[in-house]
Amino acid sequence: MTPWPRRSLEPRSAVSGSESARLTGEASPPIGRLGLFLRRQDEHAYVHDLWPDIAARLRLLGLLGGLVCLLGSIVDWTQLHDSPPFFWLLAVRLAVLALGLYLWRVARPGAVARPAQLRTALILFELGVIVALRLVNLGYGEFSPYQGLTGLLIVASAYAFVPMLSPVNFWLLPLGTASLFIQAYGWHHASWRDLSALLVIALYVHILGWMTAAHNARSGRLLWLERQRLEKEMRERRTAESNLRHLFEVCPVPLVLSQQDNGSVLRFNRAAQALLDPERRHTEPGSAYASNFYADARARSAVTDALKARGEAGPVDVRMLTSSGNHIHVMLAASSLRYDNKAAVLTSLVEITDRKQREQALTRMTQTDALTGLYNRRGFFERANALLQSARDQAPSLLLIDADHFKRVNDAHGHAVGDTVLVQLANRMNAALREGDVIGRIGGEEFAVFLPATSLENAYELADRIRLSVSRHALRIQGLRVPMTLSIGVTVLQLGESTLEAALGRADTAMYQAKQNGRNRVDLAAASVL
Ligand SMILES: Nc1nc2c(ncn2[C@@H]2O[C@H](COP(=O)(O)OP(=O)(O)OP(=O)(O)O)[C@@H](O)[C@H]2O)c(=O)[nH]1
């Protein structure tokens, strides 16, 4: 007999709410004292669902029980030979076999699950066995304690083995034993001495049997409810997952799901595929890496660092590279999550290339001198100050260049020619510069040049080259020969100087000094020694 936890030995009040609800969620069907569902439709669903197991046990019971009952005829023969009681007992045993076969048929392999029919067939078979046992006692015309013990053994196996499908199954077993005692005492006049020992065993078998059967019935039903709940949860989870997957796919915002550890792309949604991989080169999971799509490694590591530190990054504007090699601008936001039990990153992208280009065009406009195409004053200071902040090992130098007697050009040839002179001067200066130098027109006929990592000596040489390139070859404008000269002030910045202002003041003084000293000159700022 199966052991069970101590608390289940005590008869229970109906576990309608608490336990089954705790195990199976709010709306669990109530279970009664006998471990059966209180509602018929719940019992029906339970048997229907566990049909293969329940039917297998009952068809074995029907077939074996019926055959064993028939085999009892051999014992009848040894007792009764070919007397009339032998034949009517044979008829009774055949009837029990028929009921057993009926139970087998209802529960046969492949049969349609019919819980109500199965319940009836089981009750009929049990009734048949009880009636047959009583008639055997009657046919033998005597009562022996061995017959009583055999009956109790059958009862004990029934409690342990037969699945209880209705309260009738519980009541029939003690009813069968009670009928045995009534028959033994009332019909066969058995002595109380013989019956008392059997009565103690019978009470023990029935009390233990009821508890075992009720415990088994309850455990089976609770397990079934738990399984139902889990299956429901799984179904709901699968539905939620499929909805999410669908939403992910059709979401108009480009979304990329990637592994956090190596950046391997697990999935693009349609919009992200169209944006980052228009030629659909990476349709298989793992065939692309998120890092491939960043145009700027620094932006990529900023996003990665933020994800590691806070679990999310952005929104931030990032330049990206599509799989076809085009640069695009996106506003990127990313957050860490778990996917397939691994750390993953969901990145959303909003393309802002047009906006960015408009912004850049606008910025260029506000930073550019419309006449010469050089930086204007604002643009020059923004660019040069940015370079100044990043100056590390060698200090930069600054030139301030002013056209000499420019007013005379305007006066002599008109403003339009003056404009062209400014453009040609800008071109000549530009031609003398290296890549990385920054030149701007910061006043009417005044230019500034920022020379990153340039010594005063080199800056002086460059300034003089510029001066000579203008003074040695007069400008030619619409057939006019316009000789021009430049006065240039030169200064070097100190490492650690945070703005250009002081340096510009020094260069301006040096340039003014050059004017004073006769123009067409390069002068160094005071305290600057070559
Ligand atoms: N054509 C033209 N002239 C300009 C522009 N901006 C400023 N100017 C003129 O440049 C001249 C500057 O004259 P000044 O400040 O007296 O200087 P300068 O004649 O070059 O004499 P010094 O600087 O002392 O050598 C003025 O006549 C301005 O009108 C411009 O964009 N186009």
Side-chain angles (χ1 to χ4, degrees):
M1 222 170 267
T2 341
W4 59 85
R6 192 179 144 67
R7 60 188 172 82
S8 63
L9 278 168
E10 294 144 18
R12 291 171 184 233
S13 56
V15 264
S16 50
S18 58
E19 185 169 1
S20 57
R22 180 177 61 74
L23 279 170
T24 60
E26 287 308 308
S28 300
I31 295 177
R33 276 167 196 270
L34 297 176
L36 306 174
F37 288 121
L38 293 178
R39 287 192 305 247
R40 181 173 271 271
Q41 64 269 32
D42 298 330
E43 263 309 303
H44 189 93
Y46 168 73
V47 176
H48 196 277
D49 215 34
L50 297 187
W51 182 263
D53 177 50
I54 293 173
R57 283 215 258 165
L58 289 185
R59 67 172 166 263
L60 192 68
L61 176 75
L63 198 62
L64 278 185
L67 285 174
V68 168
C69 186
L70 185 62
L71 283 176
S73 295
I74 299 170
V75 184
D76 295 348
W77 180 262
T78 59
Q79 300 280 323
L80 306 169
H81 302 289
D82 55 352
S83 63
F86 171 78
F87 289 105
W88 58 254
L89 273 185
L90 183 64
V92 169
R93 290 184 186 280
L94 283 170
V96 173
L97 177 65
L99 288 174
L101 288 177
Y102 175 61
L103 181 58
W104 177 87
R105 193 173 174 282
V106 174
R108 72 189 182 280
V112 181
R114 289 197 181 91
Q117 210 176 345
L118 188 69
R119 202 174 297 124
T120 311
L122 175 61
I123 291 170
L124 286 176
F125 179 72
E126 283 178 335
L127 265 175
V129 171
I130 292 169
V131 170
L133 286 172
R134 292 297 75 79
L135 290 177
V136 167
N137 290 142
L138 211 62
Y140 287 7
E142 59 172 15
F143 165 78
S144 84
Y146 297 111
Q147 286 166 350
L149 281 175
T150 313
L152 285 176
L153 267 178
I154 295 173
V155 165
S157 346
Y159 275 127
F161 177 75
V162 179
M164 296 294 174
L165 302 184
S166 77
V168 180
N169 297 131
F170 279 93
W171 288 111
L172 273 179
L173 296 169
L175 205 74
T177 307
S179 68
L180 170 79
F181 279 96
I182 291 168
Q183 191 184 27
Y185 186 71
W187 189 266
H188 299 294
H189 307 292
S191 70
W192 265 116
R193 200 171 59 88
D194 285 351
L195 286 180
S196 55
L198 199 65
L199 188 68
V200 171
I201 300 172
L203 279 174
Y204 179 77
V205 165
H206 280 289
I207 291 170
L208 226 57
W210 260 55
M211 286 180 173
T212 307
H215 170 79
N216 288 346
R218 179 182 293 111
S219 312
R221 278 153 185 81
L222 287 176
L223 271 176
W224 176 70
L225 288 174
E226 181 65 2
R227 211 187 70 193
Q228 300 275 95
R229 187 182 69 78
L230 286 175
E231 280 174 0
K232 186 167 168 253
E233 254 182 44
M234 288 296 289
R235 275 198 305 276
E236 283 171 0
R237 193 169 296 181
R238 271 198 287 271
T239 310
E241 260 180 35
S242 121
N243 287 346
L244 264 180
R245 196 159 293 183
H246 181 70
L247 267 177
F248 176 86
E249 274 306 315
V250 301
C251 176
V253 176
L255 297 171
V256 182
L257 188 67
S258 56
Q259 266 179 244
Q260 179 143 25
D261 53 357
N262 61 5
S264 155
V265 174
L266 300 167
R267 205 172 265 274
F268 293 112
N269 75 351
R270 286 180 207 161
Q273 191 100 42
L275 179 70
L276 295 175
D277 183 29
E279 289 164 14
R280 300 183 63 78
R281 292 180 189 167
H282 305 292
T283 48
E284 290 302 311
S287 63
Y289 289 86
S291 52
N292 300 150
F293 297 98
Y294 283 87
D296 178 1
R298 270 187 309 180
R300 190 193 71 202
S301 38
V303 170
T304 314
D305 292 348
L307 278 169
K308 275 189 194 145
R310 306 195 316 272
E312 57 180 41
V316 59
D317 292 358
V318 173
R319 209 157 63 97
M320 300 206 96
L321 191 65
T322 68
S323 62
S324 22
N326 295 327
H327 281 103
I328 55 170
H329 290 272
V330 296
M331 190 166 69
L332 176 151
S335 62
S336 302
L337 46 82
R338 304 282 305 167
Y339 180 80
D340 264 356
N341 226 16
K342 286 191 193 123
V345 178
L346 181 66
T347 308
S348 63
L349 311 164
V350 176
E351 194 187 1
I352 52 166
T353 307
D354 288 350
R355 193 194 87 189
K356 209 72 188 172
Q357 282 171 350
R358 277 198 302 275
E359 273 176 19
Q360 284 171 349
L362 210 67
T363 308
R364 265 199 302 277
M365 261 169 63
T366 58
Q367 292 184 334
T368 306
D369 172 41
L371 179 67
T372 59
L374 304 179
Y375 281 116
N376 59 18
R377 186 179 183 86
R378 176 181 166 180
F380 173 79
F381 278 99
E382 277 180 12
R383 183 76 192 121
N385 271 319
L387 289 175
L388 184 60
Q389 304 308 322
S390 55
R392 291 282 172 271
D393 301 329
Q394 202 184 345
S397 291
L398 184 72
L399 313 183
L400 193 69
I401 307 172
D402 193 273
D404 295 332
H405 298 307
F406 186 70
K407 186 173 181 308
R408 290 182 192 168
V409 178
N410 274 339
D411 293 347
H413 308 293
H415 214 80
V417 171
D419 281 354
T420 315
V421 168
L422 288 174
V423 173
Q424 289 196 7
L425 285 178
N427 291 341
R428 287 204 186 173
M429 290 180 217
N430 226 349
L433 299 180
R434 305 160 301 183
E435 200 174 328
D437 296 340
V438 182
I439 178 168
R441 182 181 168 223
I442 63 168
E445 40 26 307
E446 196 173 50
F447 300 84
V449 180
F450 181 85
L451 305 166
T454 305
S455 66
L456 188 66
E457 187 178 5
N458 290 342
Y460 180 86
E461 280 174 16
L462 177 67
D464 210 44
R465 256 201 323 277
I466 292 173
R467 181 185 69 79
L468 290 172
S469 75
V470 172
S471 63
R472 283 189 177 163
H473 308 283
L475 307 175
R476 302 256 167 211
I477 299 158
Q478 296 163 7
L480 286 173
R481 187 173 172 280
V482 185
M484 283 299 302
T485 58
L486 303 173
S487 295
I488 304 177
V490 182
T491 189
V492 67
L493 281 91
Q494 304 303 314
L495 271 179
E497 256 187 276
S498 57
T499 64
L500 277 180
E501 272 179 16
L504 197 72
R506 296 198 298 271
D508 190 54
T509 310
M511 189 271 289
Y512 182 74
Q513 195 182 308
K515 293 266 186 197
Q516 294 294 101
N517 291 338
R519 295 184 172 77
N520 191 21
R521 282 176 59 90
V522 177
D523 271 34
L524 298 176
S528 302
V529 182
L530 284 180

